[in-house]
Every structure is written in C-alpha cells, then in structure tokens.
Amino acid sequence: MALIPRRDQLPIPPKNARVHNTVCQYCTAGCGYKVYVWPVGQQGGLKADQNAFGVDLSQPQPPLAGLSYTETMHAVTTGKDGRQYHVVIVPAKDSPYNRGNYSIRGGTNALTVWSLDRGTQDRLEYPLLRIGDQFQAITWQDALTLVAGVIKGIRDRDGNDDNITVKAYDHGGSGQGFEDNYGLGKFFFAALSVKHIAIHNRPAYNSEVWGSRERGVHELNYDYTDARLADTVVLWGANPFETATVFYAEHILPNIQGNTVAEKQEAFAKGEPAEPGYLIVVDPRKTSSYTVAETVAKDRVLLLRPNLGTDYILANAIARVVWERGYYDMAYLQARTDMGLFEEYKQKSLKLQVPYAEFMAQVERITGVPRAQIEKAADWIAKPKAGKFKRRTLTIYEKGIIWNMKNYDQVAAIVQLAVLTHNVGRPGTGCGRLGGHQEGYVRPKSPTPGSIYRGGPPVNVDKFLVEGKGKFYWVVATDPYLSTPNSQVFRKRIHERTQKLTRALGQGGEPGTIQERVRKILDVLYSDPDALFMVVQDIYMTETARDAHLILPAAGWGEANETSINCQGRLLRLYEKFMDPPGEAKPDWEIFKLVGLRLADLYRAEGKAQEAAKFEFGKNWKTDEDVFLAGAEEFKDNRVSEEDEATLEAENYKGVTYKFLKEVGQQGIRTPVRRDPKTGKLVGTVRRYTHKFGTPDGKFKWYGSDDWEGYPAEVAKYLEGEKAKQYPFWVTTGRAQTIWQTAYHDRHLPVKAAALPLPYVEIHPEDAKRLGLQSGDLVEVYNEEGNGTFMVYVTDAVKPGLIFLVMYHWRGTSNSLTSGYTDPKTTIPWYKGTRANLRKLAGSIPSVQQTASLLQQNKFD
Amino acid sequence: MTQTLSRRRFVKLTAAATALFTAGGKAQLGYAPSLTYPAVKVANVSQVKTGQPVTFSYPDASSPAILVKLGKPAVGGVGPGRDIVAYSALCTHMGCPVQYEGGRFICRCHYSMFDPAKAGQTYQGLASSWLPQIPLRVDGKGDIYAVAVAGLIWGRVKNV
Ligand code: SF4
Ligand code: FES
C-alpha cells in the first residue's frame, strides 16, 4: 500500500560516529545540518550517553523542541575503502538560522548521497567518451588529453578563444562553492580568455540585478533577522514559502503572527510602536506565501496582482503615492543620495509633471491594479508610525522581477522605492533578492562587458550557438536543454551541430587513439563550420549530456570541503566533506586544475614556457582550502572601518581560514568580512548600507525609468489579429515547493518522483470548466516557439486567462515555450511571460493519477 | 493477535544493499513493517461516516492516530468503497498534531499538508517524509483493525 518504500525504524549513530557540520545543498536559505557517519554493522544505544546525538531516544521526542530524525534522513554509502557507511543528515539545532527547522527538500539531503540501493547509484563515476551512439568508459588521463588537445588545436588555429563557448554555474551550494568557482574562473578567465560564456540559468554572462548594483546597492543587503523586525514585509515576485521555506516559516511568518513583537521592542527606538507585521505580496498568482499569511492574519495581508510585465510601472506608482503623501525624509535623501540624478527620477519614474489623477488612471490601465490598492500599499510601506517614527519595510524580490520583461527597469524601480522611503540600512528594512541557490562567487575579472551603461550588453551565447558560431561547447553543472529560454529551438540546433561531428568522426572508422581522435575532431571542426564539440561536466547524465562527446564526472555536495554564503545575511560557513565521491569523480576545481596542467605540458613541449605558465595556476593547489585561500587574493583589502563596509565586495572573506570556520561552526560569519582596523579581528557585516552606498562617492545613484512601451515583438505578435485568438492564454512560469532546486536529484528519489511524476499546468476553474478539463488530465501547451505535455491542476492560484507552468521538470520544460526575448540592457530573458494555447489530450495516465496528489497547493484555510 | 505484512520493495535492490539487512543483525534497515505490531480494533465499518474522522491511539497510548472515510477510493483504503484509511496524527515535520479538515491532513505549525488518498504524501509544505499510513484490516463483522504502521512515527527511532 505504501506507494514508496517506507521504514518503521532507523539506525542510531553510535557515540564514536564521525560528526560533521554542513549546510543544506539546496536553496538560498542555507539551513544548517549535522552529518553522522559510521560503519555499517555498528549501532548506538537509546540512552543519551550511548548515541552521537546525545539525546535520550527511549522516549518519543517533544514536538518542535525535539530532534527531527525522519525516514528521509538516512542512507548507506560506500567509501573508497570498499566499506559501507551509514550517513545520517539531520537539521542542526545549533544553527541560528534554522534552529532545527528544515524543509521538504533539505529533509531529503541524506537520500541524495551516492548509494547503491536507490536511483542515486546512477551518479557518473568515470569519464565517458562518445563513440557513435554509445558512451564508453575512459581514464582521466585520456579525457584530459582529449580536452586539452582540442582546446590547444582551436587556439593554435584561431589565435584567440572566441570559438570556445561555455555554460557554467556561478553560485554556491549544490556541491559548488568559492573553491569551484575560483578554479573555473582561473581556467576560463585568467588562463584562457573566454568571452562567450553564459551563466547556468541564462544565456549570457551578466548580473541579474544590474538595475540595483548600478545604483550602489548590492542585492544581498538585509539579514534574516530583519524579517523578524520589519513593520511590513513586501514579497515582490518572490514566493519564499516554497522557495526559501525555512526563511518563511521560521522568520517571516512568526512576524506576521505577532510572535516577534518583543524582539521589535528591544531593537526599536524608545517609544517607537512595535506591532505584529504586515505582508504585501505582489504576484500575478495567489501564491502560498500569500494564502498561508492570509490564514493567520487576514487584515494584515495584501495581494497585488499586476498584469505580466508591468511591475516597474506599479513600483513607480507606489513611489508616486509616497511622494504625494510626503512619506519620505528629505534630509536623508539629501545626505545620502545623488540629488542631481534625483531630478531625473522625479521626471521619468515619478512623472511629477503629469497630474496625480491622470497618472494613476494610466497606471491602473497598464497594470490592472486598482488605485486604492496602490495607495494602500504605499501606506503600508512608508506611512510614518504614531509618534512620527519611520516605518520599517523589508522588500524582497526574486525571479518575478528578475525574469520579467525589462529586467533592468524592474529591478531599478523596486530598489528606488526602498531608498526613497529610507528602507535600507536600518534594522527591519532592506531591499534585496530572496535568492535561488546559495552564493560563492570569487573569480578573476571576466573579459565580458556589463549592462548597456557599462560597455554591454553581453553576448547572448545561446543565439551565438544557434546561429552556428563557436566550435567547442563546455557545459558545467547545468542542463541548458531544460533551463535555457526558447529551449526547444536550442536543443534541436545543438543536437544537429554535435551530430555533424559525431557522424564525421565515425566515417572511415572511429579514430584508434586519443591523439588521432583529437586530430580528426579538429579536422572536422575546421572543414564543417557548423560542427560542434561538446563536453558536459556533471554529477548525473543530463538531458544535455545525451548529445555530448565527452562526459566528465564531478564530485557533489559532501564529497569535498566547500564554502558558500546564504542570501539572507551572507552567512559564510564550511560545508565539510563527509564522504568520498563515487568512483573517479572529482571536484570541479580539481578538474580545471588538471586540464590546465595538461595544457601547460602541451605548451611546454613546444617550448612555449610563458603560455605554459598561465595554465599552471593550480599547481600548488593540494587541498580545497588552498583554492579557498587563493580566491581570497581577488578581494580588496578589508582593513576598513564599519562606516566603509559599502566599499567591499559582498563576498569578501579575506583573512578567513577553514580553521576559523571550524571554530565558528554553524554560527558562521557574515560577509563582507572586515579586519577591524583597531583590533585586527575578523568582523562580519549584519546589514549593509547603514552609512554609505556602494558607489565611489557613497551616494545612491537614481535612474529614470523607461515609459511603458507595450510588449516586445516576440510576445506582441500573439496579441494581434488571428494570433490573439489562436493563443488566448497568458503564460507565466515558476517553481514548486517539492522540486525547487532539487529536480536533478529528485528524479532519482521515489519520495519526490512519485509525488510529482509529470510537469503540471495550473488552470483557473472557470477556464477548466469551459474546456472540459479536470485535475490530472493531460494537455499539450503550445505556441510558435514550442510545446510540451503537462498535467492539469485546477486552482484559483491563477486568474482566468492566465496559466502557470512549472519550470525545469525532467519530463518537460516550460522553457520550450518561452520566447528568445532578452532585455536589451542586460541580456536577461523574460522566462515568465508569453502566450500559448492548450489542447486536451486523450484522457489521463492512470498510474500517474494514482500516485500524484491533485489537491490544491495554495489552500490552507 | 499480531500480523506482519510482507515486505514490498519498489526500488532496485542490489546484492550489496540486500546484504545490509543482515549485517551484524543490527543494521535495522528493513522496510516497514519490520516490527511486530498489535492488532487494535478502531471502529466498525457501519459506524464510520464520510468526512468524519475517528481519533485513536496506535500502536501505543502516546501515538495519536486518525481514521477517516474519504468517500472515494484511496491507496490502501479498506471497506466496501476502499475509502477508509488511517494515519499517524503526528506531523512528520516536527511532530505537531495534524488535523483532518477539508479532505486532507493539515498541520498548523508550519502548514504542511498531506493527501490521505495518496499514501499520505506531502503535497505541500515542509515535511520531507510522508505521513505514516496505518494498514487496516476488516473482519467478517465489519470491525476495522489497525495492524501495522508503514512509515516512522515522528520523534521515534523505532515505532514499537
Ligand atoms: S529551506 Fe532551503 S536551505 Fe533550508 S532545508 Fe529547505 S531547501 Fe534546504
Ligand atoms: S510540525 Fe507540522 S509543518 Fe512543521
């Protein structure tokens, strides 16, 4: 009956089990975890002094306060010594962030370890070489010779690295951290000079928030404690109940419930009102982050549902109300912001030259949000409290803003509203990203440009490849066949281009040696300019890897030491290694080191010592910590006073060592880390921009928004004439609690795969009724870009006329339907808006209906 | 009266993994039910009304449980409509009590929700383990017995 394997008892870690600190491999929250490892065959006892938990297990644990050790928190792995080990991974009680709390994703950390009794046995264990339509095992030695040989051959012929294209992560967590980012950066930017590189989830090398950074505000500026102290929390295009779950459950919700009032009284000024928090959610969907809060505090929650793409118009309108009602502090603005540029903001963003009533009527028409709601939002964000105390509002935005139409203007509008109302740099305030994954960026300067205002925009590498340019494509720890916009077109083209090389290599017999293979690959690449050589480096076989010529096995989370920061406080911690990688898999930094050294050998053999030296960046890297410490050299001198923290990079960790991190454990230290000029001690930064902004003169730089210009051609085509009838639905896309940041593992875990076997589409009950659809039916969603089959969820999360597609499911990706549009200022795609139609397929799949829950996910009352 | 249900395995088991179940006799990695459970009468089919939960304790007094008739067939459901199911009433997230309301189990500590018709799966919220389902058996008189627990009850390392 159980659908999936269940347990009714679990092994107890003995007193002598190895104990490690780590951080969840998944989302932006970065919850702390404890790992216990011991050989199979041993077992601890029930008494507190008989087990490594130090907990009396003879009695049931008390709710909330007790130890959570559930079925999904145990696994058995095999070590390099050939022995089997129990691995138990439980939420850390001593983590100040999660305090023993955890989510449906982090709770399965243990299930993801490489284990022979479940789907994770599919991990890549050794390099694989494509021979025709097969992958064959090869040694690292041969794999390195192949990669280095092809790279050198391209450089020899071209005299530059422009035909080398890369798609790679730039983040922390998920088995990556500062170490892997630095190894990757040294190879592609300092040894090679790769311009055609794109970041894991988008088609170019760019920040997703230049609209904030160019104002002087790094996106990670608030602390999780600010969510406990805020008078109002604004969630703008962010759904943390599902995508930063413990942050919402442990910090935002208690504030809305009124459970943090005492903390507010402590932190606030004398006489300042401290009350239960308010919540504003801005989202086209009625998200669970809204409906949970609505269940606990109906009168203190507000939902604004703008038309797709219109959020920046809405943000500027709220700012206009703030201006009209005088909810700002002119002395602050004059002291801390660039008043020359402020004139431009007043004219272009606030449009003070347009009479208020006329302005608001325009905004209502464009955004679809009633004027009264806009004015109410302005009151909740900025209306001074009794006693003229400034309100404290924390604004958190994420992909609803970032992956919106006009990325730059969207982000800029939101951060400007926050600064206009002095809601940055005070306890209970801030304006930043929720984040997706954790962060860990440290790299030499990239040879890529900035936004359109800083030499850009950067090249769209997807389009570069689709147009038939580039000869070498190295995909590192990402699956662009699912994740890139307009991905059906992309997939078909990369398949076609890699096939050309595969077929040519097989003609006249496969090359006999690796050297011969290198020669033949280069011959083909330079005789057929459309042919493409692809390397995929990952932990599993991915959709993209199916077309690769060479697959390199990487180490995952827990298989090497690594460091990352979370996004709600930049909490830097050591993620300790607790087990060996499977087979011959290696950490990414080591793979780049080894490819570099092989290239150095090739150059040295030709007497090119200078070129060889560039590729020897990793020759002294013996341990993970060597790479961590080498990375620190990229940061500025951090001997600065607290007043000057804004001059430091957000990730600056200069002076921090693994030893230091082991000592602080789950407490971590918040970046940017400063070396206090007086004491020389390392000090973290709780909250940023209290004293200055991150610009040369320390002042915030205003920006004048673009006017509303309607939709870009790629989507506007669906709004006119016949096509408006053919593609009647607006489409938005997003994530789901169960598989957020986890699908690469989840497809191998019964507890997840059984619950969400297919990608789904949310449809409003009225639309479903009209089309004769029920939850569980299969439909094809299609437009001119592509199509996919999705399972129907009928829900009022979407409005009539709007459908929602879950992103990145392994059985089908919403990105097949997204357009190729990117913001001309930043090359950031609009993943969350297009048009489509849907067609009912013949009924449903009974086995899927049997296992997948069809209950409404946003209904908590 | 006691009963042990046969193990059902849904994942590939390699020889290596199978060896674990016997390693040192201590590894304790069998699939549920791997323990000996009491059979406890909970209700009679004729008394159970659709949507009206019956609370009981199982397998011992400190383990609250809920039996409910869903009105539509469920995974593991018993009775004429195969729609009577029972679950542990302790949320598998952090052990708060779950309530049966509106056709599903909900925990109001952090808002995890479980589907009673789909083996107690977490369809929303924080709990990474599904709600433990209590296999039921109906005898000739229509008496419904709880006979085991498929899944670990929160707060325990062993159900009994
Ligand atoms: S909220 Fe995020 S970091 Fe925390 S346990 Fe869940 S997935 Fe991991
Ligand atoms: S204890 Fe039930 S959701 Fe947390």
Side-chain angles (χ1 to χ4, degrees):
Chain A
M1 80 159 56
L3 277 189
I4 58 163
R6 303 294 305 255
R7 307 239 185 247
D8 54 4
Q9 54 178 331
L10 288 174
I12 301 170
K15 264 205 93 65
N16 62 352
R18 274 193 281 131
V19 186
H20 296 280
N21 263 320
T22 192
V23 176
C24 179
Q25 64 189 312
Y26 294 129
C27 87
T28 172
C31 299
Y33 278 79
K34 289 262 188 256
V35 185
Y36 301 84
V37 183
W38 75 98
V40 165
Q42 294 176 20
Q43 162 100 303
L46 293 173
K47 295 216 188 83
D49 61 0
Q50 292 172 336
N51 64 63
F53 294 139
V55 167
D56 178 8
L57 301 168
S58 63
Q59 295 301 313
Q61 293 290 298
L64 298 179
L67 167 79
S68 291
Y69 173 32
T70 79
E71 288 169 79
T72 58
M73 297 180 186
H74 167 266
V76 171
T77 190
T78 306
K80 284 230 191 289
D81 58 4
R83 294 182 70 181
Q84 292 192 308
Y85 292 91
H86 290 287
V87 180
V88 165
I89 307 180
V90 297
K93 289 234 169 260
D94 60 344
S95 158
Y97 184 92
N98 54 303
R99 308 187 281 205
N101 206 334
Y102 69 100
S103 78
I104 188 167
R105 300 176 304 279
T108 64
N109 273 320
L111 292 184
T112 71
V113 308
W114 180 62
S115 190
L116 295 177
D117 71 346
R118 59 174 67 110
T120 59
Q121 69 176 270
D122 289 345
R123 284 283 302 277
L124 296 168
E125 293 178 50
Y126 32 74
L128 293 170
L129 176 69
R130 173 186 293 282
I131 306 288
D133 60 357
Q134 260 201 341
F135 287 109
Q136 300 183 359
I138 58 166
T139 62
W140 269 108
Q141 217 175 348
D142 280 345
L144 295 172
T145 303
L146 183 65
V147 178
V150 176
I151 288 179
K152 177 152 181 306
I154 290 173
R155 306 187 89 216
D156 286 349
R157 282 168 177 76
D158 295 356
N160 62 47
D161 298 325
D162 295 355
N163 272 319
I164 298 170
T165 57
V166 177
K167 179 104 180 166
Y169 60 84
D170 71 340
H171 57 73
S174 323
Q176 278 98 33
F178 287 107
E179 298 75 8
D180 288 327
N181 273 288
Y182 195 55
L184 191 151
K186 279 298 256 193
F187 183 72
F188 289 121
F189 297 154
L192 298 174
S193 181
V194 172
K195 287 195 295 212
H196 298 127
I197 177 167
I199 291 174
H200 57 104
N201 61 1
R202 50 196 191 262
Y205 204 78
N206 43 10
S207 162
E208 291 182 315
V209 290
W210 274 326
S212 179
R213 289 190 185 173
E214 289 177 11
R215 317 272 79 72
V217 178
H218 188 274
E219 62 275 17
L220 306 183
N221 51 68
Y222 65 94
D223 187 64
Y224 63 86
T225 52
D226 290 320
R228 309 179 70 81
L229 299 176
D231 294 309
T232 301
V233 175
V234 182
L235 300 174
W236 205 313
N239 185 15
F241 180 67
E242 306 204 38
T243 65
T245 312
V246 170
F247 177 47
Y248 185 91
E250 197 65 25
H251 303 295
I252 297 177
L253 192 60
N255 181 357
I256 311 305
Q257 287 168 316
N259 295 340
T260 63
V261 169
E263 290 165 50
K264 293 183 183 191
Q265 280 161 346
E266 188 124 317
F268 289 2
K270 208 164 163 250
E272 180 178 347
E275 287 161 9
Y278 286 70
L279 180 73
I280 303 174
V281 175
V282 189
D283 204 297
R285 290 164 75 221
K286 191 158 85 176
T287 60
S288 53
S289 293
Y290 172 78
T291 51
V292 167
E294 190 188 31
T295 309
V296 305
K298 208 171 182 337
D299 300 333
R300 281 182 280 112
V301 291
L302 178 62
L303 176 64
L304 309 184
R305 304 177 84 172
N307 294 330
L308 299 190
T310 66
D311 297 72
Y312 76 104
I313 300 294
L314 178 63
N316 286 337
I318 296 173
R320 174 73 186 263
V321 180
V322 165
W323 182 264
E324 296 292 330
R325 298 188 173 181
Y327 299 159
Y328 56 87
D329 172 1
M330 190 47 87
Y332 167 77
L333 296 177
Q334 282 171 344
R336 302 289 308 286
T337 76
D338 187 324
M339 294 309 279
L341 292 171
F342 191 56
E343 291 307 311
E344 201 179 321
Y345 176 67
K346 287 200 297 198
Q347 197 211 337
K348 293 188 177 162
S349 300
L350 303 184
K351 292 186 182 294
L352 298 186
Q353 66 284 6
V354 182
Y356 182 62
E358 186 186 330
F359 173 87
M360 292 302 274
Q362 275 173 12
V363 168
E364 276 190 319
R365 206 170 53 242
I366 295 166
T367 64
V369 180
R371 172 173 162 172
Q373 282 193 4
I374 299 172
E375 291 174 336
K376 188 169 175 184
D379 284 353
W380 285 18
I381 289 171
K383 186 179 181 182
K385 300 189 275 185
K388 298 216 174 109
F389 288 96
K390 284 181 193 173
R391 259 190 111 68
R392 299 171 189 264
T393 296
L394 170 63
T395 303
I396 296 171
Y397 63 88
E398 193 43 49
K399 290 294 190 284
I401 285 303
I402 288 167
W403 286 350
N404 209 325
M405 180 185 103
K406 291 178 79 67
N407 155 275
Y408 190 95
D409 286 75
Q410 301 283 1
V411 173
I414 287 179
V415 71
Q416 298 194 113
L417 170 60
V419 172
L420 179 68
T421 56
H422 192 181
N423 276 316
V424 173
R426 297 184 294 134
T429 73
C431 177
R433 291 182 62 163
L434 178 63
H437 41 69
Q438 297 147 34
E439 301 292 344
Y441 192 89
V442 59
R443 279 179 190 168
K445 201 180 154 9
S446 72
T448 54
S451 80
I452 199 167
Y453 305 107
R454 302 283 191 281
V459 175
N460 184 323
V461 181
D462 284 4
K463 289 200 171 147
F464 182 84
L465 286 163
V466 166
E467 283 162 11
K469 297 180 193 143
K471 296 193 180 300
F472 188 123
Y473 189 32
W474 193 335
V475 178
V476 190
T478 177
D479 199 357
Y481 276 20
L482 298 183
S483 68
T484 238
N486 205 1
S487 63
Q488 206 165 70
V489 169
F490 181 80
R491 275 195 299 277
K492 286 178 184 165
R493 267 299 278 153
I494 300 297
H495 177 73
E496 183 183 15
R497 294 192 60 193
T498 50
Q499 271 291 101
K500 285 185 177 168
L501 174 61
T502 305
R503 256 188 249 116
L505 284 176
Q507 262 161 30
E510 293 286 336
T513 64
I514 289 290
Q515 281 75 12
E516 216 181 292
R517 184 166 287 273
V518 169
R519 267 195 302 279
K520 199 162 175 186
I521 289 171
L522 289 164
D523 284 350
V524 177
L525 293 179
Y526 283 86
S527 57
D528 178 355
D530 205 44
L532 183 69
F533 177 67
M534 180 156 73
V535 177
V536 168
Q537 179 171 327
D538 214 309
I539 61 173
Y540 290 112
M541 188 75 199
T542 62
E543 277 66 24
T544 310
R546 288 185 205 148
D547 282 330
H549 296 100
L550 179 69
I551 302 176
L552 301 176
W557 176 76
E559 298 165 0
N561 288 301
E562 66 193 45
T563 51
S564 296
I565 58 173
N566 78 345
C567 297
Q568 295 88 40
R570 294 151 273 105
L571 200 55
L572 173 67
R573 283 154 298 174
L574 180 62
Y575 302 41
E576 292 177 30
K577 172 176 175 169
F578 57 81
M579 58 180 272
D580 294 322
E584 310 307 315
K586 294 181 190 305
D588 289 327
W589 66 260
E590 197 181 341
I591 296 174
F592 291 114
K593 162 188 152 170
L594 293 173
V595 177
L597 291 178
R598 184 56 54 95
L599 270 155
D601 290 345
L602 296 178
Y603 281 112
R604 221 172 273 290
E606 288 180 0
K608 293 182 178 148
Q610 224 184 331
E611 199 60 14
K614 281 206 303 190
F615 286 93
E616 287 175 332
F617 56 87
K619 71 172 183 225
N620 296 323
W621 293 353
K622 301 275 185 298
T623 66
D624 331 72
E625 187 174 17
D626 293 335
V627 193
F628 178 73
L629 296 175
E633 296 305 313
E634 301 290 334
F635 294 121
K636 290 183 193 157
D637 183 359
N638 55 356
R639 251 171 231 280
V640 301
S641 67
E642 194 186 327
E643 286 66 35
D644 282 331
E645 64 77 24
T647 62
L648 298 176
E649 303 90 344
E651 302 87 354
N652 193 315
Y653 61 77
K654 231 185 179 76
V656 177
T657 60
Y658 276 15
K659 180 165 172 280
F660 175 90
L661 290 174
K662 279 206 172 121
E663 275 162 22
V664 294
Q666 290 291 351
Q667 301 299 310
I669 185 166
R670 289 167 169 88
T671 64
V673 174
R674 294 182 302 106
R675 277 185 284 197
D676 191 277
K678 286 190 210 107
T679 65
K681 285 219 174 87
L682 296 174
V683 196
T685 306
V686 174
R687 176 181 306 108
R688 307 206 68 195
Y689 313 122
T690 300
H691 308 282
K692 287 176 187 163
F693 287 100
T695 52
D697 66 0
K699 294 201 168 168
F700 181 83
K701 302 295 171 192
W702 299 97
Y703 163 81
S705 302
D706 288 352
D707 275 337
W708 176 253
E709 293 153 347
Y711 292 101
E714 290 88 336
V715 174
K717 69 176 180 184
Y718 291 124
L719 298 169
E720 283 148 29
E722 268 308 293
K723 283 193 191 164
K725 283 186 223 131
Q726 281 168 4
Y727 302 100
F729 286 98
W730 276 106
V731 179
T732 192
T733 65
R735 312 307 183 114
Q737 177 83 269
T738 308
I739 58 164
W740 160 236
Q741 292 280 346
T742 57
Y744 58 99
H745 277 311
D746 286 349
R747 56 173 84 183
H748 304 282
L749 310 183
V751 71
K752 296 293 199 71
L756 221 59
L758 292 180
Y760 64 83
V761 51
E762 291 182 349
I763 302 174
H764 189 273
E766 279 175 26
D767 288 329
K769 196 165 161 214
R770 190 167 44 81
L771 298 168
L773 293 172
Q774 288 181 352
S775 289
D777 286 347
L778 272 193
V779 291
E780 183 192 31
V781 185
Y782 65 95
N783 62 16
E784 291 183 351
E785 274 69 41
N787 70 326
T789 49
F790 294 82
M791 194 174 74
V792 169
Y793 266 106
V794 179
T795 170
D796 70 348
V798 287
K799 292 191 263 196
L802 174 71
I803 59 176
F804 167 88
L805 305 177
V806 72
M807 291 181 97
Y808 299 163
H809 194 283
W810 55 96
R811 279 273 170 266
T813 171
S814 59
N815 289 324
S816 295
L817 288 100
T818 49
S819 81
Y821 161 89
T822 57
D823 181 4
K825 295 178 184 173
T826 59
T827 323
I828 295 289
W830 185 17
Y831 284 107
K832 289 179 177 276
T834 188
R835 302 272 294 184
N837 196 5
L838 41 85
R839 185 167 68 83
K840 191 175 175 179
L841 300 177
S844 55
I845 298 178
S847 60
V848 165
Q849 280 207 325
Q850 192 196 16
T851 65
S853 176
L854 303 172
L855 298 177
Q856 203 176 319
Q857 296 167 356
N858 70 336
K859 197 169 159 37
F860 300 91
D861 52 2
Chain B
M1 187 172 66
T2 59
Q3 174 178 338
T4 305
L5 299 187
S6 67
R7 285 176 184 163
R8 300 184 66 176
R9 295 184 187 162
F10 288 77
V11 289
K12 286 179 277 186
L13 284 180
T14 63
T18 311
L20 285 175
F21 299 112
T22 51
K26 288 181 177 172
Q28 305 195 343
L29 276 175
Y31 290 115
S34 69
L35 303 162
T36 305
Y37 290 90
V40 173
K41 185 184 159 185
V42 181
N44 187 280
V45 170
S46 62
Q47 304 162 338
V48 186
K49 302 222 166 51
T50 301
Q52 290 183 13
V54 178
T55 55
F56 64 107
S57 292
Y58 188 83
D60 52 54
S62 56
S63 174
I66 296 176
L67 177 142
V68 64
K69 179 174 160 66
L70 301 173
K72 56 176 186 179
V75 175
V78 298
R82 311 215 61 79
D83 62 344
I84 300 173
V85 288
Y87 289 89
S88 161
L90 292 184
C91 179
T92 46
H93 180 232
M94 294 175 79
C96 291
V98 297
Q99 284 92 43
Y100 178 82
E101 280 171 27
R104 46 49 166 152
F105 290 104
I106 181 165
C107 172
R108 300 215 174 263
C109 277
H110 312 102
Y111 294 90
S112 288
M113 301 195 291
F114 306 88
D115 190 335
K118 304 282 167 74
Q121 71 178 256
T122 318
Y123 69 92
Q124 175 61 287
L126 291 79
S128 55
S129 295
W130 296 3
L131 213 53
Q133 186 163 9
I134 296 175
L136 301 172
R137 198 164 45 75
V138 185
D139 70 9
K141 294 185 294 220
D143 286 341
I144 308 168
Y145 287 84
V147 294
V149 184
L152 187 68
I153 297 164
W154 189 88
R156 302 178 177 211
V157 286
K158 209 175 186 195
N159 279 350
V160 288

